[in-house]
Amino acid sequence: MTPTLVITVIAVYFALLITISLITTKRSDSSTFFTANRQSPWYLVAFGMIGASLSGVTFISVPGWVADTQFAYMQMVLGYLLGYLIIATVLMPMYYRLNLISIYGYLEQRFGFWSYKTGAFYFLLSRVIGSSFRLFLVAGVLQIFLFDAWDVDFSVTVLVTIVLIWLYTFRGGIKTIVWTDTLQTLFMLSAVSIVIYLISKDLNLSLGGITSAIKESEYSQIFFWDWQTGKNFFKQFFAGAFIAIVMTGLDQDMMQKNLTCKNLGDAQKNMFWFSIILVFANLLFLSMGALLYIYANSNGIPLPERTDNLFPMLARDHFNIIAGIVFLLGIIAAAYSSADSALTALTTSFCVDFLNFKEHETTLAFQHKQRNTRLIVHLGFSLLMFLVIILFKKINNDAVISAVFTAASYTYGPLLGLYSFGLFTKLQVRDYGVPIVCLISPALSYWLNINSEELLNGYKFGFEILIVNGGITFVGLLLLYKKRSRP
């Protein structure tokens, strides 16, 4: 693919997104930005959430991960179903009952000021890290496909990537995101399906032949039972359930979309269909990953040192031009469908949780002031993500999907502990001590993780360290127990 063709594809794609943004931002205000006026069709939200959940990490890292973990990731995906069931039946009814804009408002009502701010802080930390990891992927792809040919520095690539997101989200917020994510999910799933078709055609495989080739390959094992490996089924399944709970149910980004539905019933329908489609979508990505390795091996193509580079390398150097364009559209759609909503959610959380924005303004002057402040916050988080991506470029050596889940295990653990304690006990705590507990628990979890083989007879933690982190937070909150004062 020539740089001219790449820039043309990107320009047309973003012209379409900006057009959608202009249409959806007519007569917009803060309520539109934060809640889409609570008028989003549930089926639109469900389909768009697929793209936000999968993201560029799934598009590139999951297929590349197949070489190291085969189809073990499906064990986590099955665990997601349990997590989504808990979200739909426990968390979402509470969010709708309390009529929340930011879901961390629950912590203030349940525990107090410091718990509320701690929960919101950990979301901001988690989302900045996770979204920066995801954008790192798409920036790397744009570097390979376009900017390397022009001898442009990686930092410029990252800056362009973030500016493009800012352009179509700064006005419409979540209302724009609901519509653009739907379009981007369609592009992403279409891209995977087309790439699978083109590879199978090159390898002379029918639909049945694709299934047989994957099944007979070294990459297709799903279930692993060795207790000491991080790929053990029970570790992966329960880690998946808790990752779904924290990265969806306790995440302002994902819940903000659900809270734009008209009512709880619509939001629960959205969660049900989203869960089912997500299982098949992940299976599709893993199948594509196996086919990528089969294709490379059958054509004698040397594998890249980093598994994340396999798909981009094949698309750029070995696929035909149609597959190259499809890949480019798919990765851009996948990465931006996650990053754009994250930027909006970060802005929402900071404005509502730390600047005390309300959904309805009272005067035109107040509306104007809030709008200007919101724009500054939006721009500030864009800059912060730029800096984190540059830092990540210097230190990262692992597959990005592994890095994302590892970061989530430490940053979402305190949220898991806080919400579990709040929902499953009626105890009160000394609110001022909550930030201390939530700082100690990730640190203690990290220490336990790096010393687990020595302390626990060779046991090695996987992503289930998230559960341990949440459990330590829960125990710490028990130590902060205080008796209710008598009326």
Side-chain angles (χ1 to χ4, degrees):
M1 293 179 68
T2 65
T4 302
L5 179 58
V6 172
I7 200 71
T8 301
V9 170
I10 293 173
V12 171
Y13 182 81
F14 279 98
L16 182 57
L17 291 184
I18 291 171
T19 300
I20 293 173
S21 174
L22 292 173
I23 294 171
T24 57
T25 54
K26 292 179 179 178
R27 296 182 296 277
S28 64
D29 54 20
S30 286
S31 181
T32 305
F33 188 95
F34 296 140
T35 67
N37 305 111
R38 304 187 192 275
Q39 294 296 314
S40 299
W42 68 265
Y43 46 86
L44 208 64
V45 177
F47 192 67
M49 279 179 64
I50 298 295
S53 297
L54 295 174
S55 77
V57 172
T58 307
F59 197 84
I60 291 182
S61 263
V62 166
W65 217 17
V66 166
D68 297 327
T69 63
Q70 293 82 51
F71 275 33
Y73 183 57
M74 282 304 297
Q75 298 175 132
M76 286 185 66
V77 173
L78 294 175
Y80 291 167
L81 293 176
L82 174 60
Y84 293 141
L85 177 64
I86 294 171
I87 293 168
T89 57
V90 177
L91 291 174
M92 287 170 60
M94 177 186 71
Y95 295 151
Y96 269 87
R97 184 177 70 252
L98 298 177
N99 195 31
L100 299 174
I101 299 175
S102 167
I103 62 173
Y104 309 110
Y106 161 75
L107 295 175
E108 183 174 34
Q109 297 183 37
R110 178 64 177 83
F111 298 119
F113 175 86
W114 289 110
S115 300
Y116 170 40
K117 300 304 180 184
T118 300
F121 165 78
Y122 268 104
F123 162 71
L124 295 177
L125 178 64
S126 302
R127 259 306 167 188
V128 166
I129 294 173
S131 297
S132 298
F133 285 173
R134 292 174 172 91
L135 272 180
F136 169 78
L137 272 180
V138 72
V141 170
L142 291 177
Q143 187 73 28
I144 292 170
F145 271 76
L146 179 62
F147 292 105
D148 274 346
W150 292 345
D151 199 25
V152 173
D153 188 75
F154 180 75
S155 61
V156 177
T157 307
V158 175
L159 184 63
V160 170
T161 303
I162 293 177
V163 167
L164 288 172
I165 294 177
W166 194 86
L167 284 175
Y168 71 87
T169 60
F170 78 97
R171 289 182 60 193
I174 195 65
K175 184 176 180 180
T176 297
I177 296 305
V178 167
W179 287 92
T180 56
D181 276 5
T182 301
L183 176 69
Q184 292 177 141
T185 299
L186 179 62
F187 272 114
M188 179 171 55
L189 295 181
S190 299
V192 177
S193 301
I194 292 170
V195 167
I196 289 176
Y197 168 75
L198 292 173
I199 293 175
S200 64
K201 188 177 178 181
D202 185 274
L203 298 175
N204 294 316
L205 295 173
S206 63
L207 182 60
I210 293 173
T211 305
S212 298
I214 294 173
K215 186 177 179 181
E216 293 168 6
S217 73
E218 60 185 290
Y219 308 110
S220 61
Q221 184 176 350
I222 296 177
F223 299 107
F224 295 80
W225 306 105
D226 181 359
W227 184 250
Q228 291 190 327
T229 178
K231 294 187 290 186
N232 173 269
F233 170 79
F234 294 103
K235 292 182 186 180
Q236 294 266 308
F237 179 84
F238 288 108
F242 281 93
I243 283 173
I245 291 169
V246 298
M247 294 186 73
T248 299
L250 305 184
D251 184 276
Q252 175 65 24
D253 182 2
M254 299 300 288
M255 284 296 100
Q256 190 170 356
K257 296 184 182 73
N258 282 277
L259 294 175
T260 67
C261 293
K262 296 177 183 178
N263 53 55
L264 173 60
D266 276 4
Q268 288 175 320
K269 281 190 287 187
N270 151 52
M271 185 58 65
F272 172 78
W273 285 107
F274 157 73
S275 305
I276 300 301
I277 298 170
L278 191 64
V279 172
F280 291 101
N282 276 289
L283 186 60
L284 192 68
F285 274 96
L286 288 167
S287 299
M288 182 182 71
L291 285 173
L292 290 174
Y293 281 103
I294 293 170
Y295 174 86
N297 292 332
S298 67
N299 286 281
I301 300 170
L303 297 177
E305 185 177 341
R306 283 173 49 85
T307 59
D308 285 347
N309 291 336
L310 174 67
F311 197 5
M313 181 267 291
L314 291 177
R316 182 191 62 180
D317 300 332
H318 300 280
F319 290 168
N320 62 34
I321 193 167
I322 295 174
I325 292 173
V326 165
F327 165 80
L328 186 60
L329 283 172
I331 181 56
I332 292 172
Y336 279 90
S337 64
S338 173
D340 56 12
S341 60
L343 187 55
T344 299
L346 288 166
T347 302
T348 299
S349 177
F350 192 83
C351 288
V352 173
D353 297 326
F354 290 96
L355 301 182
N356 301 315
F357 274 35
K358 305 299 180 185
E359 184 174 356
H360 300 290
E361 305 93 342
T362 53
T363 66
L364 287 175
F366 191 59
Q367 289 178 24
H368 184 70
K369 181 180 178 181
Q370 280 202 358
R371 180 180 178 277
N372 289 341
T373 302
R374 192 184 73 221
L375 287 174
I376 293 171
V377 172
H378 206 59
L379 188 61
F381 276 112
S382 301
L383 177 61
L384 180 59
M385 287 173 66
F386 168 78
L387 295 174
V388 173
I389 292 171
I390 298 301
L391 177 63
F392 187 57
K393 166 72 172 171
K394 295 183 181 298
I395 64 175
N396 177 60
N397 292 313
D398 300 321
V400 175
I401 189 165
S402 178
V404 168
F405 288 139
T406 299
S409 298
Y410 294 111
T411 55
Y412 279 99
L415 281 172
L416 177 62
L418 280 168
Y419 276 83
S420 299
F421 193 91
L423 289 167
F424 300 119
T425 78
K426 295 184 179 181
L427 302 177
Q428 294 295 312
V429 300
R430 294 176 178 83
D431 180 51
Y432 61 82
V434 170
I436 299 172
V437 167
C438 291
L439 286 173
I440 291 174
S441 58
L444 193 55
S445 300
Y446 179 76
W447 176 84
L448 182 62
N449 188 28
I450 62 176
N451 293 286
S452 64
E453 292 181 82
E454 181 181 344
L455 295 172
L456 302 175
N457 249 353
Y459 182 90
K460 186 173 178 62
F461 282 105
F463 299 129
E464 77 276 10
I465 194 67
L466 166 68
I467 304 172
V468 175
N469 194 354
I472 294 172
T473 304
F474 193 100
V475 172
L477 294 174
L478 282 174
L479 297 176
L480 294 177
Y481 165 69
K482 70 173 184 179
K483 293 182 179 180
R484 292 178 182 270
S485 57
R486 294 184 178 180

